[in-house]
Amino acid sequence: MWSGRFREPLDRTFEQWQRSFPVDWRLLPHEVAASSAHARMIAAAGVLTSEELEKTLQGLIAVGQRPDNWAHRISATSGEPEYATSTQQIGAAIVASAPQAEDIHHYVELELTREIGSLALKLHTGRSRNEQIATDMRLFVRESIDATLFGLEQWIAALLSLAESAGDSVMPSYTHLQRAEPVLVAHWMLAYVSMAERDHSRLVDARIRVNLCPLGSGAVAGATLALDRHIAAEALNFDAPTPNSMDATSDRDFAIEFAQALSMLGLHISRFAEELTLYSTAEFGFLDLPERFSTGSSAMPQKKNPDLTELIRGKCGRLTGTVVALSTIMKGLPLAYNKDLQEGQEPVFDAADTIAGVLSVLPSFTRSLKFRFDKMAGAAETGYLNAMAAATYLTHKGVPFRKAHEIIGNVVRFALEHDKELHALRLDELQMFAPEFSLDFHDAISLRATIDCHDVMGGTATARVKQSLTEAQSRAKARDLTRHHSVSEVVNA
Ligand code: ARG
């Protein structure tokens, strides 16, 4: 591919070690698409005739079908059905089939030469692998963003259906992991919907910056042919060509942003996983883990372990690791392309695979959760979770809040000493602490009243939560419509 200026053969070990084909073979569909777009662009510049272009495009289609051919061959020799052929098996076969290929770009060129002969050698006119890898990675990240958005929407739908079926069930909320105030179970679920919606918008936003086409940037300074870069950008469904060739060939901020968005998403999912792990313990008993998503212990026969949620917590660490790896690779790289960038591929693939794995189980797991609403309500009714509502009651009677806080603190102390909840105290007992207590006090601190006194936007009052749920459901529907719209646009295009 580049041996012309060399007189000495490469060190064998070094030569093997510097290859990226064992990793980047999975960019094949993107490399084929980008090469086809480049072919159209150089044809328009007069480098290929229309017959040559046609032949090149057909050849590239054939090269793009190599994985299918390998799946077919593997299943024919193993007797396993074709769909059972794993991506790893196919990758290993492709990599083994092309021992000379240094990377995916080299592989496609070699295979294209096998398909269409020396015409293939014209394809590299006016381009560089530096712009190719930047383009392939953008295509890969864009595809993974779309898949993640879809999975995330499924998870949001699952959370919304849990929120809906929870109705007006209550549970304790916690601060410092100590019981704080009662909230609706739906309110808790909607907290995760809020997080997931921000993750969604972060990915949608990152996609805007990913969706620009480096083709035509050349090795660093721009192509040496007068190419119409819009041709390639349009062929690949990019919004526009990238504006600067040095930047386009050497920055990977789009990949880092993608990893950051996934890391944040992973972080939210991990908090959810941690809460479920905790709430499924005998100590909390707020939910029974679905058996089909749990595992047993080989030692202790009674165990049902939350492996799914634990593994999800672990995967989140891995996603954050990607951000650190990519940022560390990029940091301090002089402009423009440096081979260090090749090292960034693996973490990006790993993050994409990790989130795809998590989102392949999370929505159905979430849907199958069964809460023990009785236990949750029981926990919300004990432990003085209505103390804040009690203090608020006094403020409605004109007592300044600081004072009310102190009075209720003393009442709680008294109740603790007598092993009673606040609502079990008699009016005469209460009035020892403040004359403002009267007959309406017990209604004001009932579980329902304690919930409903949080009647602010974003609060847990029943009507507010109902409203929030409806709004979240219509946002989900709107996202669904956009998706159908964009899918039909692609189909009709
Ligand atoms: N395999 C290389 C990578 O992933 C492709 C670009 C190679 N460019 C170069 N100048 N060596 O980064």
Side-chain angles (χ1 to χ4, degrees):
M1 192 168 39
W2 40 255
S3 57
R5 67 93 71 207
F6 286 76
R7 292 295 166 267
E8 228 190 291
L10 279 192
D11 178 275
R12 283 281 303 152
T13 312
F14 165 66
E15 196 268 326
Q16 288 296 319
W17 174 78
Q18 57 91 41
R19 284 169 185 243
S20 55
F21 193 46
V23 170
D24 66 18
W25 70 269
R26 57 186 290 179
L27 292 172
L28 178 63
H30 308 304
E31 176 67 16
V32 164
S35 290
S36 308
H38 178 74
R40 290 179 197 282
M41 194 162 58
I42 58 173
V47 176
L48 299 177
T49 65
S50 55
E51 295 82 65
E52 285 175 329
L53 172 63
E54 208 35 56
K55 204 169 159 199
T56 305
L57 294 178
Q58 289 307 323
L60 285 168
I61 290 173
V63 175
Q65 280 160 353
R66 295 288 193 264
D68 298 340
N69 302 345
W70 276 108
H72 194 69
R73 268 185 254 178
I74 294 167
S75 85
T77 40
S78 68
E80 296 282 322
E82 214 164 300
Y83 65 78
T85 323
S86 72
T87 318
Q88 283 93 328
Q89 274 175 296
I90 297 171
I94 291 181
V95 171
S97 75
Q100 328 83 297
E102 179 176 316
D103 56 22
I104 183 62
H105 322 294
H106 193 200
Y107 172 78
V108 169
E109 208 173 300
L110 291 171
E111 292 297 303
L112 187 63
T113 311
R114 277 177 36 171
E115 288 290 330
I116 64 170
S118 60
L119 170 60
L121 305 177
K122 281 196 175 179
L123 184 58
H124 209 58
T125 317
R127 75 170 180 178
S128 152
R129 285 184 296 155
N130 298 352
E131 59 181 311
Q132 285 172 261
I133 189 61
T135 306
D136 293 357
M137 290 305 284
R138 280 178 185 263
L139 290 170
F140 178 88
V141 167
R142 185 178 74 182
E143 187 178 79
S144 177
I145 288 179
D146 290 344
T148 310
L149 287 173
F150 182 69
L152 195 45
E153 286 162 22
Q154 307 299 305
W155 186 45
I156 292 174
L159 290 167
L160 288 174
S161 86
L162 277 189
E164 182 159 19
S165 58
D168 52 12
S169 307
V170 294
M171 67 184 289
S173 66
Y174 298 83
T175 62
H176 313 271
L177 203 51
Q178 305 288 330
R179 283 186 199 167
E181 293 185 272
V183 288
L184 291 188
V185 175
H187 196 52
W188 173 50
M189 286 293 108
L190 287 171
Y192 283 103
V193 171
S194 286
M195 296 176 228
E197 285 184 333
R198 287 196 300 280
D199 292 319
H200 193 279
S201 80
R202 256 185 287 275
L203 285 164
V204 168
D205 193 54
R207 195 189 192 284
I208 297 170
R209 285 175 292 280
V210 171
N211 208 27
L212 298 173
C213 186
L215 290 186
S217 297
V220 51
T224 48
L225 280 176
L227 299 175
D228 178 357
R229 296 185 57 207
H230 291 97
I231 296 174
E234 270 165 41
L236 294 170
N237 263 317
F238 281 121
D239 291 330
T242 49
N244 181 290
S245 63
M246 294 178 79
D247 172 47
T249 49
S250 73
D251 206 348
R252 296 292 184 269
D253 60 351
F254 66 89
I256 301 180
E257 251 189 280
F258 164 66
Q260 286 166 335
L262 293 189
S263 162
M264 188 75 84
L265 165 61
L267 198 142
H268 289 147
I269 294 176
S270 175
R271 294 186 75 181
F272 180 71
E274 167 57 15
E275 288 208 293
L276 297 178
T277 308
L278 189 66
Y279 294 163
S280 70
T281 58
E283 283 71 13
F284 278 86
F286 289 178
L287 61 118
D288 279 328
L289 286 174
E291 281 196 10
R292 62 199 165 93
F293 290 110
S294 307
T295 54
S297 155
S298 58
M300 297 164 281
Q302 86 284 9
K303 291 292 288 288
K304 184 167 78 172
N305 291 331
D307 286 29
L308 185 144
T309 50
E310 291 170 329
L311 203 47
I312 279 182
R313 272 191 329 224
K315 298 281 183 193
C316 162
R318 198 169 164 144
L319 290 172
T320 303
T322 306
V323 178
V324 177
L326 292 177
S327 313
T328 313
I329 291 167
M330 282 304 297
K331 169 190 171 301
L333 285 191
L335 263 50
Y337 177 84
N338 296 269
K339 183 89 164 183
D340 314 39
L341 292 172
Q342 179 170 292
E343 209 50 29
Q345 293 171 10
E346 238 170 323
V348 172
F349 297 157
D350 185 68
D353 291 343
T354 302
I355 201 66
V358 167
L359 289 173
S360 73
V361 292
L362 187 64
S364 45
F365 169 76
T366 303
R367 265 178 205 283
S368 67
L369 290 173
K370 296 260 178 297
F371 293 125
R372 297 284 315 268
F373 292 122
D374 54 333
K375 290 261 182 104
M376 291 170 129
E381 263 160 352
T382 51
Y384 311 101
L385 273 67
N386 49 4
M388 184 112 153
T392 307
Y393 167 87
L394 288 179
T395 63
H396 288 314
K397 303 277 173 183
V399 181
F401 183 76
R402 282 279 162 254
K403 190 86 194 119
H405 184 283
E406 190 190 334
I407 294 169
I408 299 297
N410 285 320
V411 173
V412 167
R413 180 89 229 164
F414 174 85
L416 272 170
E417 279 158 9
H418 292 80
D419 198 19
K420 285 179 176 178
E421 286 293 326
L422 291 186
H423 47 77
L425 296 178
R426 294 187 319 269
L427 197 53
D428 59 307
E429 289 172 321
L430 290 161
Q431 282 172 344
M432 296 186 316
F433 296 91
E436 287 82 0
F437 285 111
S438 69
L439 284 171
D440 54 356
F441 175 70
H442 291 90
D443 280 345
I445 61 156
S446 70
L447 188 53
R448 197 49 55 194
T450 309
I451 291 278
D452 286 338
C453 72
H454 298 87
D455 188 14
V456 287
M457 197 186 146
T460 196
T462 316
R464 295 286 183 170
V465 173
K466 206 167 173 180
Q467 174 75 15
S468 300
L469 177 58
T470 313
E471 285 168 9
Q473 282 164 333
S474 49
R475 285 193 300 275
K477 198 167 267 159
R479 279 191 297 266
D480 230 30
L481 286 177
T482 323
R483 174 168 301 286
H484 285 309
H485 184 66
S486 52
V487 166
S488 63
E489 258 176 16
V490 171
V491 171
N492 296 331

